[in-house]
Amino acid sequence: MSYTLRDLPLPVKVVATVFLLAVGAGYSSAVLQLHIQDSKSGKPMPTPEDVVLKFTGKKKFDPNAPPPESPASRLEALIVAQTEEINGSTMAGAFTAHDRGPKHLKFSEHVKARPEAEVRAERKGEQRVLVQWIRTPDAERKAAYEADKFVPPAGKTPKALTAGLKDGDAVKIKTLIDSRCVTCHSKGGEKEEPALDSYAGLMKFVPPPPPPPQPDKYGYIKVEEPISISKLTQSTHAHLLSFAVLFSLTGLIFALSSWPAWMRVIGGPWVVVMVFADVSMWWLARLCDEYGPFFAMAVILTGFLAAVGLFVHIAGSLFTMYGLKGRVVIGLLFVVGAVAGGAFVTKLLVPALPKPKVEDKQAADPEPDAGKPEIKKPEVKKPEDKKMEDKKEPFVPVVVTPKKPINEIDRLLTRPLDPAGKPVPLTELKFAGGKTAA
């Protein structure tokens, strides 16, 4: 005698129905989390490129794409540091407060004749020009240094620049370096080492640009670190343990349906098998460097097959569990869920999609003062605020005195110290009446 879902008591059917619908809603929320966490292209679901990047850290090589920007050199970092101090981390102060250049270029002399804000803007211009010079190819950079004549890239010349450093459309780059750096970092200067009075000395802090990326035989290049092994292990643990139990239950319910036996034999364990295959593709993509991108693409396929299997579990079980009236109710629930889901996607999800990254046109010409905390002007207090302050009680400091022993027990527990700073032995402690512990 066969026993199917139609033969279950109504309370059991209701529990099974709520369970299946809850699993479907939970899986939908997992899809939403997948979008938020892994879809970096602004599309509702992660693209194959997103998945390959996550598990392998690789992208398809584009020969027409601009080369990746080199990290800031040590010299550049010292120049644009956001402080006016001079130490092992910054030389930015050499352009302003700690300027030791010749008198006609010195900061303290310029601020006597002109507004300080105007002079500071010129010094920021000097920093930007110096950064541009540092990022120039070596041959052009060296020629500009030796000729003391650097022409900034088109449209990159700072509007504000110290007049004594201008040479038509060019900048006296060696004069700039001598005034801001060499005055200290040279023989007889305050900081002889490291010496910056030659091009070779400067280049010790400007490493050569990295070689252009070379794609592998499948046309991929590594651009970032993939997902960590520890994080992948954590995700594997969560998926295999929780999903195995959850989808085994949905498969068990589907196995009790009235569909043909071959469908139930294949469809019952289908989702658990696909989840296991999906997790296996994670690890193969992460650990196999040569074929990793192809295993990563397989993650999309196994995930899709798992989703299809779960939909068959839910819909196939519910529509064989009830008669005609029950199926109509289930159909209406599916329609309501689809409408609500569509409204959620269009009204909430789509506006929250991450926008594709747009390269900042000024990325190669950073503002040295970017991120510098704003100097707040002193707050002007209103008369009523002053009256309120006058009414405040004067501050009286609270003096905390050590607690004194008030009896023999307290005195015993707070053992005094001898002149050497060591606790007095118990046998030498004296109590009221001349008694001792001995």
Side-chain angles (χ1 to χ4, degrees), residues 187-429:
K187 187 175 181 179
E190 295 182 22
K191 189 80 171 178
E192 293 189 7
E193 293 294 335
L196 302 179
D197 54 354
S198 66
Y199 183 79
L202 290 166
M203 289 306 101
K204 293 179 181 178
F205 301 91
V206 183
Q214 296 297 325
D216 59 23
K217 64 180 181 179
Y218 298 110
Y220 285 93
I221 56 172
K222 189 168 184 179
V223 296
E224 65 181 37
E225 288 301 316
I227 183 173
S228 66
I229 295 295
S230 61
K231 192 172 183 179
L232 194 59
T233 303
Q234 183 180 8
S235 296
T236 301
H237 165 265
H239 279 73
L240 289 185
L241 282 183
S242 60
F243 284 4
V245 175
L246 192 64
F247 297 147
S248 292
L249 291 175
T250 61
L252 181 62
I253 295 174
F254 179 76
L256 292 173
S257 66
S258 56
W259 294 101
W262 67 268
M263 289 183 61
R264 287 178 284 142
V265 169
I266 296 175
W270 178 267
V271 183
V272 176
V273 172
M274 287 300 104
V275 168
F276 183 81
D278 196 57
V279 172
S280 300
M281 293 301 106
W282 295 356
W283 284 96
L284 289 172
R286 176 62 178 82
L287 299 177
C288 183
D289 184 69
E290 184 175 358
Y291 301 105
F294 303 104
F295 288 121
M297 293 179 189
V299 171
I300 299 177
L301 177 62
T302 53
F304 172 75
L305 293 176
V308 171
L310 182 60
F311 178 79
V312 171
H313 280 186
I314 296 173
S317 299
L318 291 176
F319 278 94
T320 60
M321 191 181 299
Y322 298 97
L324 179 59
K325 293 182 180 179
R327 293 175 183 176
V328 171
V329 174
I330 295 298
L332 290 176
L333 290 176
F334 272 81
V335 171
V336 171
V339 173
F344 173 79
V345 170
T346 56
K347 301 294 184 181
L348 297 177
L349 179 57
V350 173
L353 289 177
K355 302 297 186 295
K357 294 182 179 180
V358 179
E359 295 295 333
D360 187 358
K361 293 182 179 180
Q362 297 184 354
D365 187 22
E367 294 286 343
D369 58 338
K372 187 174 181 178
E374 181 183 357
I375 301 176
K376 296 183 178 181
K377 296 181 179 180
E379 182 180 357
V380 180
K381 297 181 179 179
K382 299 179 181 179
E384 52 268 25
D385 295 336
K386 184 170 176 47
K387 291 179 181 179
M388 292 295 295
E389 287 186 356
D390 294 339
K391 294 180 181 179
K392 291 181 181 179
E393 295 293 333
F395 173 74
V396 179
V398 179
V399 179
V400 180
T401 56
K403 183 179 178 181
K404 297 180 179 180
I406 57 175
N407 52 44
E408 294 177 349
I409 299 298
D410 285 340
R411 187 174 181 182
L412 179 63
L413 294 177
T414 55
R415 294 168 60 185
L417 302 177
D418 60 17
K422 297 181 180 180
V424 176
L426 293 176
T427 54
E428 298 181 8
L429 289 176

Side-chain angles (χ1 to χ4, degrees), residues 25-342:
Y27 191 83
S28 300
S29 66
V31 171
L32 174 61
Q33 189 233 2
L34 184 67
H35 153 73
I36 295 174
Q37 180 175 330
D38 295 326
S39 182
K40 299 180 180 180
S41 58
K43 296 183 179 180
M45 290 298 294
T47 62
E49 292 76 15
D50 292 333
V51 179
V52 170
L53 183 64
K54 175 180 179 178
F55 289 103
T56 67
K58 296 181 177 181
K59 278 187 176 181
K60 200 72 175 178
F61 177 67
D62 182 4
N64 298 320
E69 185 178 348
S70 302
S73 64
R74 175 65 174 156
L75 183 59
E76 181 180 336
L78 289 168
I79 292 169
V80 300
Q82 303 305 318
T83 177
E84 292 196 353
E85 298 296 324
I86 293 184
N87 51 46
S89 303
T90 172
M91 294 196 312
F95 291 82
T96 52
H98 300 278
D99 183 2
R100 293 171 174 80
K103 186 174 182 180
H104 71 286
L105 297 175
K106 201 167 187 177
F107 178 80
S108 58
E109 296 295 326
H110 280 248
V111 295
K112 293 178 181 178
R114 294 182 292 135
E116 183 175 341
E118 180 181 331
V119 180
R120 285 186 176 275
E122 294 176 350
R123 299 311 166 103
K124 291 173 185 175
E126 294 181 16
Q127 291 173 287
R128 287 195 289 273
V129 166
L130 200 48
V131 168
Q132 292 168 5
W133 175 77
I134 292 171
R135 295 187 177 185
T136 302
D138 184 67
E140 299 176 24
R141 183 172 56 209
K142 185 175 182 180
Y145 178 84
E146 293 174 347
D148 197 14
K149 190 173 183 179
F150 170 66
V151 179
K156 297 292 185 179
T157 303
K159 295 181 179 179
L161 189 67
T162 305
L165 297 174
K166 293 180 180 180
D167 185 5
D169 294 334
V171 178
K172 299 177 182 178
I173 194 67
K174 187 175 184 301
T175 302
L176 170 59
I177 295 172
D178 290 345
S179 302
R180 308 295 176 236
C181 308
V182 178
T183 50
C184 288
H185 291 277
S186 60
K187 187 175 181 179
E190 295 182 22
K191 189 80 171 178
E192 293 189 7
E193 293 294 335
L196 302 179
D197 54 354
S198 66
Y199 183 79
L202 290 166
M203 289 306 101
K204 293 179 181 178
F205 301 91
V206 183
Q214 296 297 325
D216 59 23
K217 64 180 181 179
Y218 298 110
Y220 285 93
I221 56 172
K222 189 168 184 179
V223 296
E224 65 181 37
E225 288 301 316
I227 183 173
S228 66
I229 295 295
S230 61
K231 192 172 183 179
L232 194 59
T233 303
Q234 183 180 8
S235 296
T236 301
H237 165 265
H239 279 73
L240 289 185
L241 282 183
S242 60
F243 284 4
V245 175
L246 192 64
F247 297 147
S248 292
L249 291 175
T250 61
L252 181 62
I253 295 174
F254 179 76
L256 292 173
S257 66
S258 56
W259 294 101
W262 67 268
M263 289 183 61
R264 287 178 284 142
V265 169
I266 296 175
W270 178 267
V271 183
V272 176
V273 172
M274 287 300 104
V275 168
F276 183 81
D278 196 57
V279 172
S280 300
M281 293 301 106
W282 295 356
W283 284 96
L284 289 172
R286 176 62 178 82
L287 299 177
C288 183
D289 184 69
E290 184 175 358
Y291 301 105
F294 303 104
F295 288 121
M297 293 179 189
V299 171
I300 299 177
L301 177 62
T302 53
F304 172 75
L305 293 176
V308 171
L310 182 60
F311 178 79
V312 171
H313 280 186
I314 296 173
S317 299
L318 291 176
F319 278 94
T320 60
M321 191 181 299
Y322 298 97
L324 179 59
K325 293 182 180 179
R327 293 175 183 176
V328 171
V329 174
I330 295 298
L332 290 176
L333 290 176
F334 272 81
V335 171
V336 171
V339 173

